[in-house]
């Protein structure tokens, strides 16, 4: 399970987005729970928060926004009551039960229609008038999500990332072994055929600087996160090593990289 968090200034825009989310023209948003908020729209609910902002005129980021995302497999059987329990548990552990907040579930994302997750918008100022410290809030959200995941026997975010990258690497290695020379267009096409989307990273001038790969779970990674050998500067060398090892493995030889090139 992945947990993200940050303080924001655009509370109304964020909440309106959360409540109006659509995927392929169909509503994907469901309100799961709310605390001390009574409005019907995002604008009305943030308006209810504003009296608490008065004592902190110099604080720009007066709202908190969180995202909680279990894996597709973990979320498949969750009811709305289960989602509400998960969201409220997260807020309690974050020390935010004395704050106004609303929890909205999205049934999926544009990249993965089955990747259900929660969005939470909260007043950074408590009902008692105390300003919540946002130092390292993203790290704290991740730690809380990992604690909940461990207790519920969910997969922790670091384990999800590790598994995603390993799956991408295995797929890339398989394609590189089959290709005759390296061609990014063909590489993208082959990865896409087995469920991995490739996005090019280009400068304003149009120069190709690198690429990203999206895992089947919907999380996107830079090529360098999969491994240095998969960046554009090194992928042809990686391909040569993979193909050489494939040809020679039956003879007990294996090519390794080192100073001066490849060595047996």
């Amino acid at each position: 399970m992945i947990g993200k968090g940050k303080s924001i200034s655009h509370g109304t825009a964020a909440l309106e987005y959360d409540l109006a989310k659509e995927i392929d023209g169909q509503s994907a948003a469901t309100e799961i729970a709310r605390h001390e908020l009574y409005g019907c729209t995002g604008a009305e609910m943030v308006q209810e928060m504003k009296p608490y902002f008065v004592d902190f005129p110099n604080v720009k980021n007066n709202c908190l926004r969180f995202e909680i995302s279990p894996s597709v497999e973990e979320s498949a059987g969750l009811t709305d009551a289960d989602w509400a329990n998960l969201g409220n548990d997260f807020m309690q552990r974050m020390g935010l039960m004395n704050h106004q907040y609303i929890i909205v579930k999205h049934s999926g994302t544009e990249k993965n229609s089955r990747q259900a997750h929660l969005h939470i918008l909260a007043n950074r100022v408590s009902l008692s008038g105390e300003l919540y410290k946002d130092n390292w809030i993203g790290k704290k959200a991740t730690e809380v999500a990992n604690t909940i995941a461990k207790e519920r026997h969910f997969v922790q975010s670091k384990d999800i990332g590790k598994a995603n990258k390993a799956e991408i690497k295995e797929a890339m290695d398989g394609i590189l072994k089959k290709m005759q020379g390296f061609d990014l267009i063909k590489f993208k096409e082959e990865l896409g055929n087995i469920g991995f989307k490739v996005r090019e990273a280009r400068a304003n001038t149009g120069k190709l600087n690198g690429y990203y790969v999206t895992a089947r779970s919907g999380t996107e990674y830079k090529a360098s996160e999969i491994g240095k050998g998969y960046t554009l500067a090194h992928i042809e060398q990686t391909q040569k090593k993979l193909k050489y090892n494939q040809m020679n493995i039956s003879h007990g030889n294996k090519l390794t990289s080192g100073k001066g090139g490849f060595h047996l």
Side-chain angles (χ1 to χ4, degrees):
M1 184 169 75
I2 297 172
K4 301 177 182 178
K6 60 183 178 180
S7 59
I8 62 172
S9 61
H10 54 285
T12 299
L15 186 50
E16 292 285 6
Y17 164 82
D18 292 343
L19 293 168
K21 178 68 175 178
E22 291 187 351
I23 298 176
D24 296 329
Q26 301 294 317
S27 176
T30 303
E31 182 184 326
I32 294 298
R34 64 166 74 185
H35 181 59
E36 294 297 324
L37 290 172
Y38 306 95
C40 296
T41 66
E44 289 176 355
M45 283 183 265
V46 173
Q47 188 65 35
E48 292 174 42
M49 298 180 184
K50 287 185 177 180
Y52 295 92
F53 301 163
V54 174
D55 290 336
F56 304 94
N58 296 322
V59 174
K60 181 180 179 182
N61 293 347
N62 42 36
C63 288
L64 303 172
R65 192 162 192 242
F66 302 98
E67 182 178 335
I68 309 169
S69 182
S71 70
V72 172
E73 294 76 15
E74 291 160 349
S75 65
L78 297 183
T79 65
D80 285 351
D82 293 330
W83 281 107
N85 180 273
L86 176 62
N88 285 321
D89 187 13
F90 177 85
M91 293 300 280
Q92 182 173 12
R93 293 172 191 251
M94 289 294 294
L96 289 163
M97 289 302 285
N98 192 37
H99 291 243
Q100 296 166 305
Y101 65 84
I102 179 170
I103 304 174
V104 179
K105 182 190 79 174
H106 286 175
S107 60
T109 68
E110 284 82 1
K111 294 178 181 178
N112 189 337
S113 61
R114 299 188 301 128
Q115 184 63 69
H117 57 282
L118 296 179
H119 285 282
I120 305 175
L121 186 84
N123 191 340
R124 190 176 163 191
V125 184
S126 73
L127 297 170
S128 306
E130 299 159 330
L131 184 69
Y132 188 88
K133 293 182 179 179
D134 62 354
N135 310 64
W136 307 104
I137 191 170
K139 181 180 179 182
K140 184 175 181 180
T142 297
E143 290 173 348
V144 167
N146 282 340
T147 299
I148 295 173
K150 187 175 181 180
E151 291 178 4
R152 297 181 181 221
H153 305 291
F154 286 175
V155 181
Q156 296 192 29
S157 57
K158 61 182 179 181
D159 297 324
I160 292 173
K162 186 176 180 181
N164 283 343
K165 292 172 190 176
E167 185 180 34
I168 292 171
K169 182 180 181 298
E170 182 179 2
M172 293 168 85
D173 286 351
I175 291 168
L176 289 171
K177 289 175 186 176
K178 295 176 183 177
M179 290 177 65
Q180 296 299 317
F182 180 74
D183 178 81
L184 183 59
I185 295 175
K186 182 66 174 175
F187 186 61
K188 286 171 58 177
E189 181 183 328
E190 293 294 331
L191 279 172
N193 289 339
I194 56 175
F196 300 94
K197 181 181 177 182
V198 175
R199 178 174 66 86
E200 295 179 0
R202 292 186 178 273
N204 293 333
T205 59
K207 178 184 176 183
L208 181 63
N209 290 331
Y211 67 97
Y212 296 79
V213 183
T214 299
R216 289 181 175 131
S217 66
T219 303
E220 186 178 67
Y221 299 94
K222 294 179 182 178
S224 59
E225 293 181 276
I226 307 306
K228 183 179 178 181
Y230 298 90
T231 62
L232 290 178
H234 298 93
I235 196 165
E236 290 187 45
Q237 188 179 29
T238 296
Q239 183 185 30
K240 290 176 183 177
K241 183 174 73 173
L242 288 167
K243 292 175 79 68
Y244 193 98
N245 284 337
Q246 186 180 36
M247 288 187 294
N248 289 278
I249 194 127
S250 60
H251 302 290
N253 298 325
K254 187 172 182 180
L255 190 67
T256 58
S257 59
K259 280 191 174 182
F262 293 120
H263 306 277
L264 289 173

